Amino acid sequence: LGFGFKWNMGWMNASLKYMSHEPVHRKYHHGMATFSMIYAYHENYVLVLSHDEVVHGKGSMVQKMPGDRWQQMANLRMFYAWMFAHPGKKLLFMGCEFAQWEEWDCDTSLDWHLADHAPHRTMQDFVKALNELYQQEPALHALDCSSDGFEWIHHHAAETSIVAFLRLGAGADGTLRRVLCAANYTPVPRPGTRLGVPTGGTWQKLLDTDAQSFGGGGFAASQTEVHAEDVPEHGRPLSIRVDLPPLGAVALLWTGD
């Protein structure tokens, strides 16, 4: 019948439960952030945030996030970045893209007026940037349903609540493209975090959820690219040092030597 994808409800439930924890407690639940990769290729999945997650007293997406208003928005941007970097197609329900505060009501309009004001406008800008990046960067979508498109770099760092991985895919010219994605699930800035990489050369920043244009604090704004060093890390021959913003995520593209 042409139904080629399945909603990944396991990812949704585990991810939202993990994100609902206060950051100081996330180290005790680190497996919730990584377990989905154990079964990610058993089906062709859609990562789903549907209307079911924002109705019947469950609260809106931003209400699920802990902390004050700034932290809630930072958590949500980081969560969306994790969603778009994780293998699988994407489903984001209406209103989630500008962080509607109230949960969805089928009998009323969305609170579109919120998008005229920061931080909702900057959240909308951020989701737009995510969509454009996902569409334009083959490494983030070309092998969504193949294990060849994903490699863990660092997923045992429960104490610091950091995860890092590679997404891979062929570009239009057939050359391999590598995007390194890393997230810091705590409000503690992690400057100079060393991450193992498979090859030398330059890694150019594609996305920073903490960018001031998205309502963030701009912690790592000055780091636009990093260069691989001959320092082994995470079982790889080389490594880079990446500034990870608080409650933030970054994506870097390998551009070669």
Side-chain angles (χ1 to χ4, degrees):
L1 295 175
F3 296 109
F5 287 87
K6 180 179 180 178
W7 281 17
N8 193 335
M9 305 302 284
W11 171 88
M12 179 275 294
N13 281 302
S15 297
L16 289 180
K17 187 172 183 179
Y18 176 76
M19 291 301 300
S20 72
H21 288 293
E22 292 288 342
V24 70
H25 298 142
R26 286 174 178 166
K27 63 183 178 181
Y28 303 114
H29 307 279
H30 193 68
M32 289 183 178
T34 61
F35 181 74
S36 57
M37 287 310 304
I38 293 177
Y39 62 87
Y41 303 108
H42 291 182
E43 306 270 1
N44 293 338
Y45 280 119
V46 176
L47 306 184
V48 55
L49 297 175
S50 73
H51 74 284
D52 286 332
E53 282 66 73
V54 292
V55 293
H56 306 317
K58 298 176 185 176
S60 67
M61 201 59 62
V62 69
Q63 285 178 331
K64 299 177 191 295
M65 303 294 132
D68 59 25
R69 186 65 62 90
W70 189 93
Q71 291 172 327
Q72 286 178 305
M73 290 294 184
N75 271 300
L76 190 59
R77 289 193 303 271
M78 176 180 59
F79 176 54
Y80 286 164
W82 162 247
M83 174 186 185
F84 273 67
H86 189 289
K89 303 310 177 184
K90 324 301 174 189
L91 192 159
L92 190 64
F93 190 66
M94 57 184 174
C96 296
E97 77 279 11
F98 61 86
Q100 173 157 307
W101 190 252
E102 300 299 330
E103 67 175 35
W104 183 63
D105 184 346
C106 64
D107 294 323
T108 63
S109 171
L110 296 176
D111 293 335
W112 288 111
H113 63 278
L114 292 177
D116 294 330
H117 308 281
H120 300 276
R121 181 183 66 253
T122 51
M123 181 65 73
Q124 189 178 43
D125 291 341
F126 173 69
V127 173
K128 178 183 177 182
L130 270 182
N131 278 316
E132 291 174 346
L133 179 60
Y134 182 75
Q135 181 184 41
Q136 295 168 8
E137 179 47 59
L140 295 178
H141 66 254
L143 296 175
D144 260 345
C145 299
S146 169
S147 59
D148 292 337
F150 181 94
E151 292 181 14
W152 278 119
I153 292 177
H154 195 30
H155 64 291
H156 295 302
E159 192 63 33
T160 55
S161 298
I162 291 173
V163 296
F165 53 88
L166 288 173
R167 292 300 310 274
L168 307 100
D173 59 357
T175 59
L176 180 65
R177 296 177 68 86
R178 299 181 176 95
V179 173
L180 186 151
C181 307
N184 170 20
Y185 289 96
T186 76
V188 180
R190 307 288 184 184
T193 299
R194 190 171 290 281
L195 299 172
V197 292
T199 186
T202 301
W203 295 78
Q204 185 177 48
K205 187 181 290 183
L206 293 177
L207 181 75
D208 181 352
T209 68
D210 188 52
Q212 290 180 324
S213 60
F214 299 143
F219 170 75
S222 62
Q223 190 180 65
T224 58
E225 63 181 28
V226 294
H227 305 280
E229 302 172 351
D230 291 325
V231 179
E233 188 70 26
H234 302 133
R236 297 175 183 273
L238 307 168
S239 61
I240 56 177
R241 294 177 67 89
V242 180
D243 293 338
L244 294 180
L247 298 175
V250 297
L252 302 103
L253 173 68
W254 179 69
T255 61
D257 297 329

